[in-house]
Amino acid sequence: MSLFWRIFSLNAAGLVVATALLLGPVTVSTPVLVGEALVLLGGLVLLLAGNALVLRFGLVPLQRLDRAMATADLLRPGSRPVVSGPAETAGLITTYNTMLDRLEAERAAGTARALSAQESERHRIARELHDEVGQTLTAVLLQLKRVADRAPEDLREEVGQAQEATRAGLDEIRRIARRLRPGVLEELGLASALRSLAGGFTTHGLTVRPHVTGELPDLTPEAELVVYRVAQEGLTNTARHATADQAELRLQPGPDGVELLVRDNGTGLGDATEGAGITGMRERALLIGATLTLEPARGGGTDVRLRVPVTEGLR
């Protein structure tokens, strides 16, 4: 029954009963007698109580819908208010759930296109850095070597410093190109790419220990790229913000697929809001139906977990 008919029926019943009583033995005197006043007051109280109960139970689904709308997050899909209540309320909740389904599907499709374009641009920039800037610096390094061989003794030290600066710049260009385009992922697979990634983040102030299980299910290329990028972003956050000296990068089979864990012993998340890096990780996880969680680690620090289900992430 709709909310309108519930309220109308209750009010109609109250008015019909009041009219029947007035036409029957109940009368109203002038001045009003105490007994008559008590009967009228009792009827009013019953009518108000009935209206309050109807409205209370009728509006509960709307209150649940309000809380669901206030906490809705397209990066954490799947949460839906229960369809219940009068016809109008149930219809409104159903329409809202349908709208959420459509918005999540459209966001996933848009994110997929954006990330695909981003990966293509990464590959293009990495290729240009390697083929153009890298080759140019290599040529400069060779020219500096010839100059050093012919330079007088008092200039050789300065030429040597220029050589070292050029060599450092060339190494930095190659490192940036590798991060933009993980060639090792395409050539040697996910396990080797993650070990290489851990080695690249291991510096004098941070030690990253990789633990990659050998017996892993085969992932689609899209899922492998998502796992690699999430691990890369997690280690980047650790190196930049966590003030940690130990980190762990683990990839292992899970109960329903594959689980990636990036753990550090840093300062933890605290009250910091999620930035673009974490948002990007969540968007990538949605593309393959994976679940991303960030939680405090045992003993301090942060755990970043990515769970890739078999039904979505495996071929």
Side-chain angles (χ1 to χ4, degrees), residues 184-217:
V184 66
L185 178 62
E186 301 173 358
E187 297 166 3
L188 301 179
L190 181 59
S192 297
L194 291 179
R195 294 189 185 98
S196 176
L197 183 66
F201 275 92
T202 297
T203 63
H204 296 294
L206 177 64
T207 301
V208 182
R209 300 187 305 274
H211 301 281
V212 182
T213 304
E215 298 297 328
L216 291 172

PDB file of all heavy atoms in Angstrom, residues 184-217:
ATOM      1  N   VAL A 184      60.237  -4.673 -18.639  1.00  0.00           N
ATOM      2  CA  VAL A 184      60.499  -5.970 -18.019  1.00  0.00           C
ATOM      3  C   VAL A 184      59.212  -6.741 -17.784  1.00  0.00           C
ATOM      4  O   VAL A 184      59.201  -7.974 -17.779  1.00  0.00           O
ATOM      5  CB  VAL A 184      61.280  -5.765 -16.694  1.00  0.00           C
ATOM      6  CG1 VAL A 184      60.423  -5.042 -15.671  1.00  0.00           C
ATOM      7  CG2 VAL A 184      61.766  -7.088 -16.144  1.00  0.00           C
ATOM      8  N   LEU A 185      58.091  -6.021 -17.619  1.00  0.00           N
ATOM      9  CA  LEU A 185      56.803  -6.697 -17.439  1.00  0.00           C
ATOM     10  C   LEU A 185      56.403  -7.430 -18.710  1.00  0.00           C
ATOM     11  O   LEU A 185      55.892  -8.556 -18.651  1.00  0.00           O
ATOM     12  CB  LEU A 185      55.739  -5.666 -17.049  1.00  0.00           C
ATOM     13  CG  LEU A 185      54.312  -6.177 -16.863  1.00  0.00           C
ATOM     14  CD1 LEU A 185      54.248  -7.185 -15.735  1.00  0.00           C
ATOM     15  CD2 LEU A 185      53.364  -5.017 -16.579  1.00  0.00           C
ATOM     16  N   GLU A 186      56.642  -6.814 -19.853  1.00  0.00           N
ATOM     17  CA  GLU A 186      56.286  -7.451 -21.120  1.00  0.00           C
ATOM     18  C   GLU A 186      57.267  -8.556 -21.489  1.00  0.00           C
ATOM     19  O   GLU A 186      56.883  -9.549 -22.108  1.00  0.00           O
ATOM     20  CB  GLU A 186      56.248  -6.395 -22.221  1.00  0.00           C
ATOM     21  CG  GLU A 186      55.245  -5.269 -21.960  1.00  0.00           C
ATOM     22  CD  GLU A 186      55.359  -4.176 -22.993  1.00  0.00           C
ATOM     23  OE1 GLU A 186      56.241  -4.284 -23.883  1.00  0.00           O
ATOM     24  OE2 GLU A 186      54.570  -3.204 -22.925  1.00  0.00           O
ATOM     25  N   GLU A 187      58.529  -8.386 -21.106  1.00  0.00           N
ATOM     26  CA  GLU A 187      59.557  -9.327 -21.552  1.00  0.00           C
ATOM     27  C   GLU A 187      59.739 -10.508 -20.608  1.00  0.00           C
ATOM     28  O   GLU A 187      59.908 -11.640 -21.058  1.00  0.00           O
ATOM     29  CB  GLU A 187      60.886  -8.577 -21.695  1.00  0.00           C
ATOM     30  CG  GLU A 187      60.836  -7.480 -22.760  1.00  0.00           C
ATOM     31  CD  GLU A 187      62.017  -6.548 -22.667  1.00  0.00           C
ATOM     32  OE1 GLU A 187      62.893  -6.797 -21.801  1.00  0.00           O
ATOM     33  OE2 GLU A 187      62.071  -5.566 -23.435  1.00  0.00           O
ATOM     34  N   LEU A 188      59.703 -10.266 -19.290  1.00  0.00           N
ATOM     35  CA  LEU A 188      60.028 -11.314 -18.324  1.00  0.00           C
ATOM     36  C   LEU A 188      58.870 -11.716 -17.434  1.00  0.00           C
ATOM     37  O   LEU A 188      58.984 -12.688 -16.693  1.00  0.00           O
ATOM     38  CB  LEU A 188      61.203 -10.861 -17.451  1.00  0.00           C
ATOM     39  CG  LEU A 188      62.498 -10.530 -18.201  1.00  0.00           C
ATOM     40  CD1 LEU A 188      63.570 -10.078 -17.221  1.00  0.00           C
ATOM     41  CD2 LEU A 188      62.983 -11.723 -19.007  1.00  0.00           C
ATOM     42  N   GLY A 189      57.766 -10.983 -17.466  1.00  0.00           N
ATOM     43  CA  GLY A 189      56.614 -11.369 -16.667  1.00  0.00           C
ATOM     44  C   GLY A 189      56.476 -10.564 -15.386  1.00  0.00           C
ATOM     45  O   GLY A 189      57.363  -9.786 -15.004  1.00  0.00           O
ATOM     46  N   LEU A 190      55.347 -10.784 -14.705  1.00  0.00           N
ATOM     47  CA  LEU A 190      55.000  -9.979 -13.542  1.00  0.00           C
ATOM     48  C   LEU A 190      55.953 -10.208 -12.374  1.00  0.00           C
ATOM     49  O   LEU A 190      56.357  -9.258 -11.695  1.00  0.00           O
ATOM     50  CB  LEU A 190      53.563 -10.292 -13.116  1.00  0.00           C
ATOM     51  CG  LEU A 190      53.019  -9.524 -11.909  1.00  0.00           C
ATOM     52  CD1 LEU A 190      53.045  -8.028 -12.170  1.00  0.00           C
ATOM     53  CD2 LEU A 190      51.608  -9.987 -11.571  1.00  0.00           C
ATOM     54  N   ALA A 191      56.313 -11.462 -12.112  1.00  0.00           N
ATOM     55  CA  ALA A 191      57.170 -11.746 -10.958  1.00  0.00           C
ATOM     56  C   ALA A 191      58.513 -11.032 -11.078  1.00  0.00           C
ATOM     57  O   ALA A 191      58.973 -10.370 -10.140  1.00  0.00           O
ATOM     58  CB  ALA A 191      57.377 -13.252 -10.823  1.00  0.00           C
ATOM     59  N   SER A 192      59.154 -11.137 -12.238  1.00  0.00           N
ATOM     60  CA  SER A 192      60.440 -10.471 -12.429  1.00  0.00           C
ATOM     61  C   SER A 192      60.288  -8.955 -12.394  1.00  0.00           C
ATOM     62  O   SER A 192      61.159  -8.245 -11.884  1.00  0.00           O
ATOM     63  CB  SER A 192      61.055 -10.905 -13.765  1.00  0.00           C
ATOM     64  OG  SER A 192      61.320 -12.290 -13.772  1.00  0.00           O
ATOM     65  N   ALA A 193      59.175  -8.451 -12.938  1.00  0.00           N
ATOM     66  CA  ALA A 193      58.947  -7.004 -12.935  1.00  0.00           C
ATOM     67  C   ALA A 193      58.815  -6.490 -11.507  1.00  0.00           C
ATOM     68  O   ALA A 193      59.341  -5.410 -11.176  1.00  0.00           O
ATOM     69  CB  ALA A 193      57.702  -6.672 -13.743  1.00  0.00           C
ATOM     70  N   LEU A 194      58.129  -7.223 -10.641  1.00  0.00           N
ATOM     71  CA  LEU A 194      57.978  -6.782  -9.253  1.00  0.00           C
ATOM     72  C   LEU A 194      59.304  -6.841  -8.507  1.00  0.00           C
ATOM     73  O   LEU A 194      59.608  -5.964  -7.687  1.00  0.00           O
ATOM     74  CB  LEU A 194      56.928  -7.631  -8.543  1.00  0.00           C
ATOM     75  CG  LEU A 194      55.478  -7.437  -9.017  1.00  0.00           C
ATOM     76  CD1 LEU A 194      54.542  -8.358  -8.242  1.00  0.00           C
ATOM     77  CD2 LEU A 194      55.037  -5.990  -8.874  1.00  0.00           C
ATOM     78  N   ARG A 195      60.107  -7.871  -8.770  1.00  0.00           N
ATOM     79  CA  ARG A 195      61.431  -7.930  -8.127  1.00  0.00           C
ATOM     80  C   ARG A 195      62.303  -6.767  -8.588  1.00  0.00           C
ATOM     81  O   ARG A 195      63.019  -6.154  -7.787  1.00  0.00           O
ATOM     82  CB  ARG A 195      62.101  -9.267  -8.449  1.00  0.00           C
ATOM     83  CG  ARG A 195      61.394 -10.489  -7.858  1.00  0.00           C
ATOM     84  CD  ARG A 195      62.239 -11.739  -8.031  1.00  0.00           C
ATOM     85  NE  ARG A 195      61.515 -12.929  -7.571  1.00  0.00           N
ATOM     86  CZ  ARG A 195      60.863 -13.758  -8.360  1.00  0.00           C
ATOM     87  NH1 ARG A 195      60.823 -13.523  -9.679  1.00  0.00           N
ATOM     88  NH2 ARG A 195      60.234 -14.804  -7.885  1.00  0.00           N
ATOM     89  N   SER A 196      62.248  -6.463  -9.885  1.00  0.00           N
ATOM     90  CA  SER A 196      62.998  -5.325 -10.402  1.00  0.00           C
ATOM     91  C   SER A 196      62.501  -4.016  -9.804  1.00  0.00           C
ATOM     92  O   SER A 196      63.294  -3.120  -9.483  1.00  0.00           O
ATOM     93  CB  SER A 196      62.900  -5.284 -11.933  1.00  0.00           C
ATOM     94  OG  SER A 196      63.532  -4.149 -12.458  1.00  0.00           O
ATOM     95  N   LEU A 197      61.187  -3.907  -9.624  1.00  0.00           N
ATOM     96  CA  LEU A 197      60.613  -2.701  -9.029  1.00  0.00           C
ATOM     97  C   LEU A 197      61.089  -2.532  -7.595  1.00  0.00           C
ATOM     98  O   LEU A 197      61.452  -1.425  -7.168  1.00  0.00           O
ATOM     99  CB  LEU A 197      59.086  -2.785  -9.075  1.00  0.00           C
ATOM    100  CG  LEU A 197      58.304  -1.578  -8.565  1.00  0.00           C
ATOM    101  CD1 LEU A 197      58.530  -0.372  -9.473  1.00  0.00           C
ATOM    102  CD2 LEU A 197      56.806  -1.905  -8.487  1.00  0.00           C
ATOM    103  N   ALA A 198      61.101  -3.624  -6.837  1.00  0.00           N
ATOM    104  CA  ALA A 198      61.582  -3.548  -5.453  1.00  0.00           C
ATOM    105  C   ALA A 198      63.045  -3.133  -5.416  1.00  0.00           C
ATOM    106  O   ALA A 198      63.456  -2.312  -4.575  1.00  0.00           O
ATOM    107  CB  ALA A 198      61.390  -4.893  -4.765  1.00  0.00           C
ATOM    108  N   GLY A 199      63.849  -3.662  -6.327  1.00  0.00           N
ATOM    109  CA  GLY A 199      65.253  -3.274  -6.374  1.00  0.00           C
ATOM    110  C   GLY A 199      65.431  -1.813  -6.733  1.00  0.00           C
ATOM    111  O   GLY A 199      66.330  -1.142  -6.215  1.00  0.00           O
ATOM    112  N   GLY A 200      64.574  -1.300  -7.612  1.00  0.00           N
ATOM    113  CA  GLY A 200      64.677   0.096  -7.995  1.00  0.00           C
ATOM    114  C   GLY A 200      64.335   1.051  -6.864  1.00  0.00           C
ATOM    115  O   GLY A 200      64.850   2.175  -6.816  1.00  0.00           O
ATOM    116  N   PHE A 201      63.477   0.649  -5.942  1.00  0.00           N
ATOM    117  CA  PHE A 201      63.095   1.512  -4.822  1.00  0.00           C
ATOM    118  C   PHE A 201      64.006   1.329  -3.610  1.00  0.00           C
ATOM    119  O   PHE A 201      63.898   2.093  -2.651  1.00  0.00           O
ATOM    120  CB  PHE A 201      61.649   1.243  -4.406  1.00  0.00           C
ATOM    121  CG  PHE A 201      60.634   1.993  -5.208  1.00  0.00           C
ATOM    122  CD1 PHE A 201      60.061   1.439  -6.333  1.00  0.00           C
ATOM    123  CD2 PHE A 201      60.264   3.277  -4.853  1.00  0.00           C
ATOM    124  CE1 PHE A 201      59.125   2.138  -7.080  1.00  0.00           C
ATOM    125  CE2 PHE A 201      59.341   3.988  -5.590  1.00  0.00           C
ATOM    126  CZ  PHE A 201      58.764   3.414  -6.713  1.00  0.00           C
ATOM    127  N   THR A 202      64.855   0.314  -3.629  1.00  0.00           N
ATOM    128  CA  THR A 202      65.772   0.097  -2.517  1.00  0.00           C
ATOM    129  C   THR A 202      66.907   1.106  -2.603  1.00  0.00           C
ATOM    130  O   THR A 202      67.691   1.111  -3.555  1.00  0.00           O
ATOM    131  CB  THR A 202      66.332  -1.332  -2.547  1.00  0.00           C
ATOM    132  OG1 THR A 202      65.246  -2.259  -2.380  1.00  0.00           O
ATOM    133  CG2 THR A 202      67.339  -1.539  -1.430  1.00  0.00           C
ATOM    134  N   THR A 203      66.974   1.988  -1.633  1.00  0.00           N
ATOM    135  CA  THR A 203      68.000   3.024  -1.575  1.00  0.00           C
ATOM    136  C   THR A 203      68.732   2.913  -0.244  1.00  0.00           C
ATOM    137  O   THR A 203      68.519   1.973   0.528  1.00  0.00           O
ATOM    138  CB  THR A 203      67.368   4.420  -1.717  1.00  0.00           C
ATOM    139  OG1 THR A 203      66.476   4.644  -0.608  1.00  0.00           O
ATOM    140  CG2 THR A 203      66.583   4.531  -3.020  1.00  0.00           C
ATOM    141  N   HIS A 204      69.577   3.913   0.043  1.00  0.00           N
ATOM    142  CA  HIS A 204      70.305   3.894   1.311  1.00  0.00           C
ATOM    143  C   HIS A 204      69.367   4.064   2.501  1.00  0.00           C
ATOM    144  O   HIS A 204      69.672   3.625   3.604  1.00  0.00           O
ATOM    145  CB  HIS A 204      71.355   5.007   1.316  1.00  0.00           C
ATOM    146  CG  HIS A 204      72.421   4.822   0.270  1.00  0.00           C
ATOM    147  ND1 HIS A 204      73.322   3.784   0.301  1.00  0.00           N
ATOM    148  CD2 HIS A 204      72.706   5.527  -0.850  1.00  0.00           C
ATOM    149  CE1 HIS A 204      74.135   3.862  -0.730  1.00  0.00           C
ATOM    150  NE2 HIS A 204      73.777   4.915  -1.458  1.00  0.00           N
ATOM    151  N   GLY A 205      68.217   4.714   2.291  1.00  0.00           N
ATOM    152  CA  GLY A 205      67.314   4.940   3.412  1.00  0.00           C
ATOM    153  C   GLY A 205      66.121   4.012   3.450  1.00  0.00           C
ATOM    154  O   GLY A 205      65.373   4.007   4.425  1.00  0.00           O
ATOM    155  N   LEU A 206      65.911   3.220   2.403  1.00  0.00           N
ATOM    156  CA  LEU A 206      64.746   2.339   2.329  1.00  0.00           C
ATOM    157  C   LEU A 206      65.156   0.997   1.736  1.00  0.00           C
ATOM    158  O   LEU A 206      65.810   0.942   0.688  1.00  0.00           O
ATOM    159  CB  LEU A 206      63.650   2.958   1.459  1.00  0.00           C
ATOM    160  CG  LEU A 206      62.391   2.116   1.222  1.00  0.00           C
ATOM    161  CD1 LEU A 206      61.645   1.872   2.535  1.00  0.00           C
ATOM    162  CD2 LEU A 206      61.475   2.786   0.197  1.00  0.00           C
ATOM    163  N   THR A 207      64.747  -0.062   2.405  1.00  0.00           N
ATOM    164  CA  THR A 207      65.004  -1.425   1.929  1.00  0.00           C
ATOM    165  C   THR A 207      63.672  -2.098   1.630  1.00  0.00           C
ATOM    166  O   THR A 207      62.810  -2.196   2.515  1.00  0.00           O
ATOM    167  CB  THR A 207      65.774  -2.250   2.971  1.00  0.00           C
ATOM    168  OG1 THR A 207      67.022  -1.603   3.258  1.00  0.00           O
ATOM    169  CG2 THR A 207      66.043  -3.655   2.462  1.00  0.00           C
ATOM    170  N   VAL A 208      63.486  -2.540   0.393  1.00  0.00           N
ATOM    171  CA  VAL A 208      62.250  -3.197  -0.034  1.00  0.00           C
ATOM    172  C   VAL A 208      62.554  -4.674  -0.260  1.00  0.00           C
ATOM    173  O   VAL A 208      63.412  -5.024  -1.073  1.00  0.00           O
ATOM    174  CB  VAL A 208      61.695  -2.569  -1.331  1.00  0.00           C
ATOM    175  CG1 VAL A 208      60.389  -3.254  -1.720  1.00  0.00           C
ATOM    176  CG2 VAL A 208      61.477  -1.068  -1.144  1.00  0.00           C
ATOM    177  N   ARG A 209      61.849  -5.536   0.473  1.00  0.00           N
ATOM    178  CA  ARG A 209      62.044  -6.984   0.358  1.00  0.00           C
ATOM    179  C   ARG A 209      60.927  -7.571  -0.492  1.00  0.00           C
ATOM    180  O   ARG A 209      59.753  -7.528  -0.080  1.00  0.00           O
ATOM    181  CB  ARG A 209      62.057  -7.644   1.728  1.00  0.00           C
ATOM    182  CG  ARG A 209      63.151  -7.133   2.658  1.00  0.00           C
ATOM    183  CD  ARG A 209      63.201  -7.957   3.941  1.00  0.00           C
ATOM    184  NE  ARG A 209      61.911  -7.986   4.611  1.00  0.00           N
ATOM    185  CZ  ARG A 209      61.490  -7.061   5.457  1.00  0.00           C
ATOM    186  NH1 ARG A 209      62.246  -6.015   5.726  1.00  0.00           N
ATOM    187  NH2 ARG A 209      60.319  -7.170   6.038  1.00  0.00           N
ATOM    188  N   PRO A 210      61.230  -8.120  -1.653  1.00  0.00           N
ATOM    189  CA  PRO A 210      60.183  -8.739  -2.484  1.00  0.00           C
ATOM    190  C   PRO A 210      59.965 -10.202  -2.095  1.00  0.00           C
ATOM    191  O   PRO A 210      60.910 -10.935  -1.805  1.00  0.00           O
ATOM    192  CB  PRO A 210      60.752  -8.623  -3.900  1.00  0.00           C
ATOM    193  CG  PRO A 210      62.238  -8.667  -3.700  1.00  0.00           C
ATOM    194  CD  PRO A 210      62.520  -8.038  -2.353  1.00  0.00           C
ATOM    195  N   HIS A 211      58.710 -10.616  -2.070  1.00  0.00           N
ATOM    196  CA  HIS A 211      58.337 -12.014  -1.837  1.00  0.00           C
ATOM    197  C   HIS A 211      57.275 -12.368  -2.882  1.00  0.00           C
ATOM    198  O   HIS A 211      56.097 -12.032  -2.709  1.00  0.00           O
ATOM    199  CB  HIS A 211      57.785 -12.224  -0.422  1.00  0.00           C
ATOM    200  CG  HIS A 211      58.728 -11.840   0.669  1.00  0.00           C
ATOM    201  ND1 HIS A 211      59.770 -12.635   1.089  1.00  0.00           N
ATOM    202  CD2 HIS A 211      58.804 -10.704   1.419  1.00  0.00           C
ATOM    203  CE1 HIS A 211      60.432 -12.028   2.054  1.00  0.00           C
ATOM    204  NE2 HIS A 211      59.871 -10.853   2.277  1.00  0.00           N
ATOM    205  N   VAL A 212      57.702 -13.023  -3.940  1.00  0.00           N
ATOM    206  CA  VAL A 212      56.793 -13.377  -5.032  1.00  0.00           C
ATOM    207  C   VAL A 212      56.752 -14.887  -5.137  1.00  0.00           C
ATOM    208  O   VAL A 212      57.760 -15.537  -5.408  1.00  0.00           O
ATOM    209  CB  VAL A 212      57.242 -12.761  -6.366  1.00  0.00           C
ATOM    210  CG1 VAL A 212      56.252 -13.114  -7.472  1.00  0.00           C
ATOM    211  CG2 VAL A 212      57.368 -11.249  -6.239  1.00  0.00           C
ATOM    212  N   THR A 213      55.579 -15.461  -4.907  1.00  0.00           N
ATOM    213  CA  THR A 213      55.408 -16.906  -4.991  1.00  0.00           C
ATOM    214  C   THR A 213      55.505 -17.356  -6.435  1.00  0.00           C
ATOM    215  O   THR A 213      54.949 -16.727  -7.339  1.00  0.00           O
ATOM    216  CB  THR A 213      54.051 -17.315  -4.406  1.00  0.00           C
ATOM    217  OG1 THR A 213      53.959 -16.824  -3.070  1.00  0.00           O
ATOM    218  CG2 THR A 213      53.893 -18.827  -4.406  1.00  0.00           C
ATOM    219  N   GLY A 214      56.212 -18.443  -6.652  1.00  0.00           N
ATOM    220  CA  GLY A 214      56.396 -18.924  -8.019  1.00  0.00           C
ATOM    221  C   GLY A 214      55.133 -19.474  -8.654  1.00  0.00           C
ATOM    222  O   GLY A 214      54.889 -19.280  -9.843  1.00  0.00           O
ATOM    223  N   GLU A 215      54.309 -20.168  -7.874  1.00  0.00           N
ATOM    224  CA  GLU A 215      53.103 -20.807  -8.412  1.00  0.00           C
ATOM    225  C   GLU A 215      51.936 -19.829  -8.351  1.00  0.00           C
ATOM    226  O   GLU A 215      51.171 -19.807  -7.394  1.00  0.00           O
ATOM    227  CB  GLU A 215      52.777 -22.085  -7.622  1.00  0.00           C
ATOM    228  CG  GLU A 215      53.846 -23.154  -7.705  1.00  0.00           C
ATOM    229  CD  GLU A 215      54.038 -23.658  -9.131  1.00  0.00           C
ATOM    230  OE1 GLU A 215      53.034 -23.669  -9.891  1.00  0.00           O
ATOM    231  OE2 GLU A 215      55.168 -24.018  -9.494  1.00  0.00           O
ATOM    232  N   LEU A 216      51.800 -19.021  -9.373  1.00  0.00           N
ATOM    233  CA  LEU A 216      50.709 -18.055  -9.442  1.00  0.00           C
ATOM    234  C   LEU A 216      49.849 -18.346 -10.661  1.00  0.00           C
ATOM    235  O   LEU A 216      50.358 -18.758 -11.704  1.00  0.00           O
ATOM    236  CB  LEU A 216      51.255 -16.628  -9.543  1.00  0.00           C
ATOM    237  CG  LEU A 216      51.954 -16.068  -8.306  1.00  0.00           C
ATOM    238  CD1 LEU A 216      52.611 -14.740  -8.643  1.00  0.00           C
ATOM    239  CD2 LEU A 216      50.960 -15.901  -7.168  1.00  0.00           C
ATOM    240  N   PRO A 217      48.541 -18.139 -10.553  1.00  0.00           N
ATOM    241  CA  PRO A 217      47.684 -18.292 -11.733  1.00  0.00           C
ATOM    242  C   PRO A 217      48.044 -17.268 -12.795  1.00  0.00           C
ATOM    243  O   PRO A 217      48.613 -16.221 -12.513  1.00  0.00           O
ATOM    244  CB  PRO A 217      46.258 -18.042 -11.182  1.00  0.00           C
ATOM    245  CG  PRO A 217      46.387 -18.145  -9.695  1.00  0.00           C
ATOM    246  CD  PRO A 217      47.785 -17.748  -9.360  1.00  0.00           C
TER     247      PRO A 217
END
